[in-house]
Each structure stands twice: as structure tokens, then as C-alpha cells.
Amino acid sequence: MANSDVGRPSNIPLMTISGLLLLYGVFVMTGLFTPLLKSLHVHKQIDLMEVLCFTAAGLGFATALLRQARMNKPMTKRDIYVLETIPGILFIMLLAMGIRWFLEPVVGIVSVQLVPLLGFKIHKVLNLNYVVLGIIIGIIITNTWGIPKFAASGVKTARFVLKMGVILLGARYSFAELAKLGMVSVWMIGFFVLGTVFFVLFLGNIFRQPKSMTGVLSAGMGVCGVSATVACAPVVRARCSEMAYTIGTILGFGILCMFAFPTIGKIVGMNPTQFGAWAGTGILNSAQVAAACLAFNAVDIKTLKVGEIFNITRVLFLPVIVLVLASWYGRRNGAKLSFKEVVVDKFPIFILGFLLLFAMSSVGLFSPPGHYKGKYLDFSYNQRTEVTPEELTVLENAQQTGIPGLDASEEAAFADLIRQHQIAGDFNDRDNKEAFDATARKRMAGLESILARAKGREIVISGEVKSALTHAVKQVHKKSKTIVTLTDAMIWFFAYGLIGLGMQITRKSLAQAGGWPLVMGAISGVTKAALSFIVVMYFVRDVVLK
């Protein structure tokens, strides 16, 4: 039987990809690429590069041999679901590696070099990270030379891999984040998340948009941007083009907000907490929330902290929104749905995985339950948390010379760092962890204030002093190795899945969606920004974080 009779693509592309992966792995292992990787600031991932490249290459060569043995034989389920899928998987993996290790760093470096000309980092403004770059590369491929025949089966795995990424997302958060918010703030987040979702659903009905488009846009605009878009797309059976429009609308609206919010906040005299709450509620993309907060106030870190917490807390509402959309989408011709039909039949299984990891994270199975994205503070006395002898000498010389402009709390924190060689509480309180940690946090806040004021040019410190203080603060920030591993896996799942997603977005599908998603997104976004501004000004006070 001829190859064409069984529809089996040639082995040459698979062998080529496997050879490229093997060759790159060898170059990395021998150190030939180390100078280049250091210039791109990805040299810390050398071990991962070797593991991924050699594993993928081995899998590719083994698959090629098995495919060759069955080249003139009829297709079986093993051929369809395994042997014919692996070539496409490795093709997308090769693209993901190129984006993560080369394209994204190059874009960042070029963006930094353009700062003197533009006045800002363009990759931050346009959010040109692996998420957006992956979708763009996928769209370019499918709309130019098309998806290669040998990769077609592998591309279909993108949605499944994206779901795996959403599951791992649950490990990065815990209920401890809610403890940092006052009740007014919790109600505020809940109101605007649910309110925005229902408002977009209303707009979709007014503009007569497909339920799939309206549902995925409501999740993206109401909850947490890209993550909610990916999580809710299967619930409402959204097409890839509809997901792309939603992501594009979110990022585009966020860019405008990133410039408008700080200006408005300063004009009306918002305090740091109020602006952080407004930015965290009104802007969906995390990087854009951070950029807006720093643009508003680069001196007081409270603004950034509040903005991050408000932004992340929206993730906690994701399961609720999934349930709401499952009920909304499942309703047909006015028929009422039972609890079983909504929760059991319509609720996506992968969201249960997200909830499971979220619950495990909340009870401290991955790291202490008070962690934030796997990071927690360790003020215990040990050599790991100390500054180096060279840094200590720099700090002692600075203390003797004096740093003009420091307030009493900053001077006390600076002096204690020199005295104890690390950020810590009082030695006499070491058996009282609560008192010990409270004192240490106060001292860390003093050092962070020095760094923030130096960044804002309120005070002047040398580069050596800044480096020593930054190192001291970093030393007490401990990361859970489990969370780091799960986060790395999540990033690769998203990188892979979004490239595959982009490959399923054609010019025709984009043209069919028209401009209504942008109109609906703009209306709902402006409405939420305006209403949340009013609520923040009247109900959010200066103290939210405890």
C-alpha cells in the first residue's frame, strides 16, 4: 500500500526537528552557546535546555523509527493519537523554545535600548511576552505558508495543554491573599467581577453576538484577562478567533488605562492605597497593573502591593464565573437546568484540578499557607539570610558618611541591618515568632522605603549601597521549590498552547468576528473603570493592607 493511501506524512520533517534539538542540546552542553545565552540573560536555564532538548530529540528519533516501520501499513488508533501527533508536538515545542529563549529576550533587550528614544519600555507597554508573541507567531504561520501537514495532529493538542496550564495556575495562589483585604475590598472585587460579566452578557444580547463570543469576552473582561479567557473558553465553546479577539481587546484596553489611570489619579489626589485599588480593579493585565502603579508612585511601594493583591484576588472568583457561564450557556429555549446539569454535566473537569491545587496551596502543602505565588518571608537567623562581608563594609562606610534625607524608621532599619548583618527581629523575641516577625517586617519596610525613594530620586545612594540593600531584602524572600517547578511547567504549557491556539486563527475567522468584541470590551471596560473610580474615592481608605 502506498504512503498516500494511508495519509502518513514523510518522516523527513520529524528527523530534521529532532536533529536540530539534538544539535542545540550538544552546543549548550559543550558551552559553545554560553556567551550568547548570557547576553540574552537566559543562561540560568541551561540545565533545562539540555533536559528538554535531549528528551525531545530522543522522543523524536524513536517516533521516526516507529513511523518508518509502519509507513506502508493502515492507520491504527495508536498511529492516529500517538505516532502522528508527536511530530506536531515537537514542532510546537521547537517554536516555544525559540520564543522563550531567544525571541522574548531579544524583544526585551531591543525595548530597553529604545528607552532613550521612546521614553518607555515598549515591550512592557505592548505586553510583548511569550503569551502574545506565541499567538502572533502562530497566526503568522497559519496565514502564510499554513500549518505543515506533519504537524496538523499535534496542533490539535493545544487546547488540552492550555487546560493543564490553568490547573497548575491554582498552585500559585492561596486564601491567605484574602486575609490581606478588608471586607469593603472583598465586596468591591466581587461586585465588579460579577457586574462586568453580566454587563458584557447583556451587551452581547443587545449587539446580537454569538454566545461563545459573548461568554469568553465576559470572562476575560470581568475576571483576570488571559487566564480567564483560556479557562472559560471550553465552557462556552469559544472559537480560537474569539479567544484571540478577547485577549487583544484586554491588552489594548489595558495599554490605554496604563497611561490614563496615573494621570487621572494624580489630578484627583488619590492616595497610594486608593490608586492601587483602582488600578487592580480596572486594569486586567498584571504587568499593566504594575506599570500603572509604578507610574503613579514609584516611591511608596504600598501602591504596587495593593494593586497586585486586588489584581490577583480576581483569580479567586474564576470558579464562580465558570459556574455562572456554564449555567448561562447551557440554557436553551427557556428550559431550566438542574444542579446536576450545571455542576456535573457542564462544569469543566480541569477547573476541578485548579480548585484542588488551590486548596492544597491554601493549606500549605506546597509552601507556608501565607505565601504569595510560592514566595514567603523567612527572617530566621542563618547564614543564608546574611549580607556578604563586602556588602557589610559598604553599608558601614555609608553609615559613617551618612545618607541625607533618611527618616527615623529608615535610619533605624539601616543601622539594625549593619548590627545583625541581616533583616531580622530582636534577638530577645526569637522565641515569640509573631513579635519577631512583626519587628523584622517593619525593618524590611524601612529598607524597601530607602530603595523606593532612591528610585524616585528623593534621596541619593551609591550603586554599591543599593545593591547591598537589594540583596538583603532578597535574602529573606524564600521560594518554594515545588511552586517554582509547577510555575515553570505552567509557563511552558501556556507557551505551547498559545502557539497552537494562534495556528488555528485564520484571516477568515478574524474577519467573521468583526469589530463588535472591541466595541463591547470598550464599553464594559470604561464603565467598570468609571464606577470603580467612584467606589474607590468614597469607600476605600488609606489602610487596606495589614
Side-chain angles (χ1 to χ4, degrees):
M1 185 179 291
N3 292 359
S4 58
D5 293 336
V6 295
R8 202 184 300 269
S10 168
N11 250 337
I12 294 177
L14 177 59
M15 294 292 288
T16 302
I17 291 173
S18 302
L20 290 174
L21 289 168
L22 179 62
L23 191 62
Y24 181 75
V26 170
F27 285 163
V28 171
M29 184 178 66
T30 57
L32 186 64
F33 279 0
T34 299
L36 172 63
L37 299 178
K38 284 185 176 180
S39 67
L40 296 175
H41 308 295
V42 294
H43 57 285
K44 292 182 180 179
Q45 300 184 48
I46 283 178
D47 292 341
L48 177 62
M49 292 180 187
E50 293 178 10
V51 171
L52 285 181
C53 287
F54 288 137
T55 302
L59 177 62
F61 285 126
T63 302
L65 290 175
L66 292 173
R67 290 183 77 251
Q68 190 64 40
R70 295 192 52 79
M71 191 58 76
N72 295 313
K73 297 179 181 179
M75 287 277 195
T76 65
K77 288 186 177 180
R78 185 184 68 175
D79 293 321
I80 296 172
Y81 294 112
V82 180
L83 296 183
E84 298 307 314
T85 300
I86 289 176
I89 291 174
L90 294 184
F91 174 64
I92 297 179
M93 276 299 299
L94 184 65
L95 292 174
M97 292 175 184
I99 292 171
R100 291 281 293 135
W101 294 335
F102 291 96
L103 182 58
E104 185 180 30
V106 167
V107 169
I109 291 172
V110 172
S111 174
V112 170
Q113 293 176 342
L114 291 175
V115 168
L117 177 64
L118 301 177
F120 57 87
K121 296 178 181 178
I122 192 170
H123 76 294
K124 293 290 186 181
V125 173
L126 298 179
N127 204 47
L128 296 177
N129 56 18
Y130 71 95
V131 172
V132 175
L133 293 174
I135 294 176
I136 292 174
I137 293 297
I139 292 175
I140 291 174
I141 289 174
T142 198
N143 287 286
T144 52
W145 57 84
I147 300 174
K149 185 178 180 182
F150 76 90
S153 296
V155 170
K156 295 176 182 178
T157 64
R159 284 179 177 269
F160 172 78
V161 175
L162 278 175
K163 293 175 184 178
M164 295 298 296
V166 174
I167 290 174
L168 296 182
L169 183 68
R172 288 165 57 87
Y173 309 108
S174 75
F175 278 116
E177 297 309 306
L178 282 177
K180 299 179 181 179
L181 296 169
M183 285 308 298
V184 170
S185 305
V186 174
W187 282 109
M188 177 178 167
I189 291 292
F191 172 79
F192 281 105
V193 166
L194 291 169
T196 303
V197 167
F198 286 119
F199 185 53
V200 173
L201 297 182
F202 169 75
L203 291 176
N205 186 50
I206 294 294
F207 294 120
R208 298 182 180 179
Q209 291 300 293
K211 277 196 169 185
S212 53
M213 177 72 254
T214 304
V216 76
L217 182 64
S218 71
M221 293 300 297
V223 190
C224 51
V226 176
S227 298
T229 301
V230 172
C232 293
V235 181
V236 296
R237 299 179 183 178
R239 297 194 301 269
C240 295
S241 59
E242 292 169 339
M243 294 174 67
Y245 262 112
T246 296
I247 294 172
T249 299
I250 291 166
L251 296 180
F253 181 73
I255 291 171
L256 297 176
C257 290
M258 193 171 61
F259 290 105
F261 273 44
T263 303
I264 296 172
K266 288 182 180 296
I267 291 175
V268 300
M270 280 184 161
N271 62 47
T273 299
Q274 288 176 323
F275 185 83
W278 186 38
T281 303
I283 305 175
L284 293 174
N285 181 267
S286 299
Q288 292 168 347
V289 170
C293 289
L294 290 173
F296 175 79
N297 192 338
V299 176
D300 191 342
I301 59 172
K302 184 189 294 185
T303 305
L304 181 57
K305 284 184 176 180
V306 174
E308 286 181 341
I309 291 173
F310 269 71
N311 180 50
I312 294 304
T313 302
R314 287 199 301 266
V315 177
L316 302 180
F317 288 87
L318 181 56
V320 177
I321 298 307
V322 169
L323 188 61
V324 169
L325 290 178
S327 175
W328 170 79
Y329 188 78
R331 195 177 297 118
R332 287 289 186 271
N333 299 322
K336 295 183 178 180
L337 296 177
S338 66
F339 178 82
K340 175 183 178 298
E341 288 175 311
V342 174
V343 178
V344 179
D345 298 340
K346 300 294 182 182
F347 196 82
I349 299 299
F350 73 95
I351 291 297
L352 297 180
F354 170 90
L355 291 174
L356 176 62
L357 264 68
F358 177 77
M360 294 169 68
S361 177
S362 296
V363 298
L365 292 184
F366 303 136
S367 63
H371 78 259
Y372 174 68
K373 293 187 179 180
K375 300 176 183 178
Y376 54 97
L377 299 177
D378 178 14
F379 296 110
S380 59
Y381 290 117
N382 59 71
Q383 193 171 10
R384 182 193 65 80
T385 56
E386 293 183 354
V387 297
T388 65
E390 294 77 13
E391 290 172 336
L392 185 61
T393 300
V394 169
L395 295 174
E396 288 174 339
N397 291 337
Q399 186 182 40
Q400 292 176 1
T401 305
I403 301 178
L406 297 187
D407 61 31
S409 62
E410 292 167 346
E411 287 184 349
F414 195 89
D416 190 78
L417 175 62
I418 295 173
R419 180 171 62 86
Q420 299 203 86
H421 301 182
Q422 66 180 75
I423 302 175
D426 292 330
F427 183 77
N428 294 334
D429 292 333
R430 64 189 183 281
D431 294 329
N432 185 343
K433 182 171 176 55
E434 185 175 345
F436 182 88
D437 282 1
T439 302
R441 287 174 184 271
K442 182 178 179 181
R443 288 167 178 165
M444 185 178 74
L447 297 179
E448 289 178 327
S449 177
I450 294 174
L451 291 170
R453 293 179 64 200
K455 183 176 181 179
R457 298 182 181 180
E458 286 193 3
I459 59 175
V460 177
I461 59 176
S462 68
E464 291 180 325
V465 171
K466 179 181 178 181
S467 177
L469 293 180
T470 301
H471 182 237
V473 172
K474 284 185 176 180
Q475 289 300 86
V476 299
H477 283 272
K478 199 170 182 179
K479 292 184 178 180
S480 163
K481 292 182 179 180
T482 303
I483 297 292
V484 170
T485 301
L486 292 174
T487 299
D488 287 342
M490 180 200 72
I491 289 173
W492 281 101
F493 283 151
F494 277 153
Y496 176 101
L498 290 168
I499 293 172
L501 172 69
M503 288 184 181
Q504 299 174 50
I505 301 173
T506 63
R507 287 190 295 268
K508 182 178 179 181
S509 63
L510 288 174
Q512 287 175 343
W516 288 117
L518 183 60
V519 174
M520 292 163 58
I523 293 173
S524 61
V526 171
T527 301
K528 181 169 70 170
L531 292 178
S532 61
F533 172 82
I534 296 172
V535 172
V536 163
M537 291 298 291
Y538 280 94
F539 296 102
V540 175
R541 296 295 178 255
D542 189 40
V543 179
V544 171
L545 292 179
K546 303 296 182 183

